[in-house]
Amino acid sequence: PIVDKKVAKEGGKERIDCLDACCATLVLPIILAHTARFGTSNKAALRLLTQENVLVGGFFAILGYIAAYTSTKVGEQKVDEQKLARPEMWFWSRVMSYYPIHCLVS
């Protein structure tokens, strides 16, 4: 299924699984390209593996959509005031969702 209906029944928001898959598909070549910059000095391999700029743009576009989707009310085109009442907490929840990966990689 494209969305998880169980989450919506429990009072949460439907999760769009295909967006998670798109992010995973885009992030893998990005990680490989960033790793190749430090792992090889072969010019042909670098030219092949470091063409990830388009993928980075797509990745951030999808993440922007997910951020907007998670901060709106279900079935309405309005912001969920409760989620955005304290924008600093929303920001730090986004940062902390990626920080453990950063620590693992670095």
Side-chain angles (χ1 to χ4, degrees):
I2 292 177
V3 294
D4 187 0
K5 300 285 186 190
K6 180 182 172 189
V7 175
K9 289 180 184 176
E10 294 172 353
K13 202 155 200 185
E14 293 179 355
R15 186 174 184 93
I16 304 174
D17 294 331
C18 61
L19 290 181
D20 291 336
C22 287
C23 281
T25 304
L26 290 172
V27 83
L28 183 62
I30 293 168
I31 291 170
L32 291 174
H34 288 347
T35 304
R37 291 180 196 271
F38 300 104
T40 185
S41 59
N42 183 339
K43 298 249 186 228
L46 284 173
R47 272 190 236 119
L48 176 68
L49 294 172
T50 57
Q51 300 298 318
E52 79 277 3
N53 293 336
V54 173
L55 301 174
V56 171
F59 179 74
F60 281 114
I62 292 172
L63 285 182
Y65 177 80
I66 291 171
Y69 176 76
T70 58
S71 61
T72 57
K73 293 184 178 184
V74 177
E76 297 180 25
Q77 294 182 348
K78 291 199 277 186
V79 175
D80 188 351
E81 296 294 335
Q82 183 179 1
K83 288 185 181 176
L84 296 180
R86 296 183 59 199
E88 67 279 359
M89 295 305 292
W90 182 85
F91 171 78
W92 284 112
S93 72
R94 298 286 148 219
V95 169
M96 294 311 289
S97 68
Y98 294 105
Y99 192 71
I101 295 172
H102 169 73
C103 291
L104 179 70
V105 172
S106 41

